Amino acid sequence: CIDNTKVLYYNSSIIIYITQKENIMFYEWIIYFLIYSFLGWCFETTLDSVEQRQFINRGFLRGPVIPIYGFGAIIMIFAAKPVLEKPTLVFIFGAIAATILEYFTGFILEVIFKTRYWDYSDCHYQIKGRICAEATLMWGFMTLFVNYNVHTHISNMVHKLNGTILIISAFVFTAVFLADAVISFKTAADINSILKRLAEINKLTQKLELHNEKDSSESIKSRLKKLSAEHKSSLTKIGMLKKDFIRSHHNAHSTRFNSPFSEFKEKIKQ
């Protein structure tokens, strides 16, 4: 009986230890995601700011993170695990996995917001402007760099964190990240709504102008005046968040309302 009790206690201790270890690993991956999202933001923001000769806060979110890099890095790490001793396969697996992620991320954003936030249409060997051969090669080299150079140092640093600090940090940063995501999604949705209304105004204005040329009347002139006032009012509904959001995607274009989107960008420049 005593021996059985010892065995049960021993087995229970192992189960508790494994469960705790799995929980810690879960929080570690959250931290990895946030770190790589931040590094991706640093990379893109630096490149774009140098090119534009002014600070450009890159990314869909307003905070210093670009989630596609966080998800991309995690996918690269998992894709490379089975073939880590073969660099060529690490390159191929990581490039394919990250390219698939990029394609579907672009597709989802286009479906939801009717806007293309990056466009490879001018590149060689591209598919619907969402992915291209150059970007795929970049993802492959990045997979090699992450797995053989970066992740070792980052994982060592994260492993050294106290368990309590790790969990609290994961909760705090996740809460901030989710709040930022909600605000950014609302901003993108608001922009899309304004663009839709501007497109409707432009279309209706063109029809009324044609009628006005054929048969001018006070009612048509009055409606045209109201539409013009609403058009100007819509263009001024650009708060700081919306301005920053559009500046962050200066190469973006709307798949449905590109003419109003161009007006929006021109207004911000002015």
Side-chain angles (χ1 to χ4, degrees), residues 246-261:
I246 293 171
R247 283 197 193 99
S248 301
H249 306 94
H250 53 87
N251 291 324
H253 65 269
S254 175
T255 55
R256 285 185 63 187
F257 316 115
N258 205 40
S259 179
F261 193 62

Side-chain angles (χ1 to χ4, degrees), residues 22-32 166-167 170-171:
E22 286 177 349
N23 288 338
I24 291 295
M25 283 181 68
F26 172 75
Y27 292 114
E28 283 180 354
W29 282 107
I30 291 175
I31 297 298
Y32 292 148
L166 181 73
I167 293 168
F171 270 110

Side-chain angles (χ1 to χ4, degrees), residues 80-99:
K81 266 190 176 183
V83 292
L84 206 53
E85 294 178 0
K86 299 176 180 178
T88 304
L89 290 179
V90 168
F91 179 93
I92 293 169
F93 282 24
I96 292 171
T99 299

Side-chain angles (χ1 to χ4, degrees), residues 76-127:
M76 288 172 190
I77 293 163
F78 277 101
K81 266 190 176 183
V83 292
L84 206 53
E85 294 178 0
K86 299 176 180 178
T88 304
L89 290 179
V90 168
F91 179 93
I92 293 169
F93 282 24
I96 292 171
T99 299
I100 291 170
L101 172 68
E102 186 174 36
Y103 182 89
F104 283 103
T105 302
F107 172 74
I108 290 165
L109 289 173
E110 284 176 41
V111 169
I112 295 173
F113 301 114
K114 309 296 184 289
T115 302
R116 182 170 289 179
Y117 291 100
W118 64 86
D119 193 354
Y120 298 127
S121 297
D122 295 333
C123 299
H124 296 295
Y125 310 109
Q126 54 85 23
I127 299 176

Side-chain angles (χ1 to χ4, degrees), residues 202-255:
N202 289 343
K203 193 174 180 180
L204 191 54
T205 300
Q206 287 173 2
K207 284 184 179 180
L208 287 172
E209 282 175 346
L210 284 172
H211 282 296
N212 193 42
E213 286 176 7
K214 294 176 183 178
D215 182 21
S216 181
S217 67
E218 288 302 317
S219 61
I220 291 177
K221 288 179 181 178
S222 176
R223 288 182 69 187
L224 281 169
K225 195 173 180 181
K226 284 180 181 178
L227 286 171
S228 177
E230 188 182 347
H231 185 274
K232 288 179 181 178
S233 175
S234 296
L235 283 175
T236 57
K237 291 178 182 176
I238 311 173
M240 284 307 298
L241 278 175
K242 295 182 183 69
K243 285 181 181 178
D244 189 40
F245 190 89
I246 293 171
R247 283 197 193 99
S248 301
H249 306 94
H250 53 87
N251 291 324
H253 65 269
S254 175
T255 55

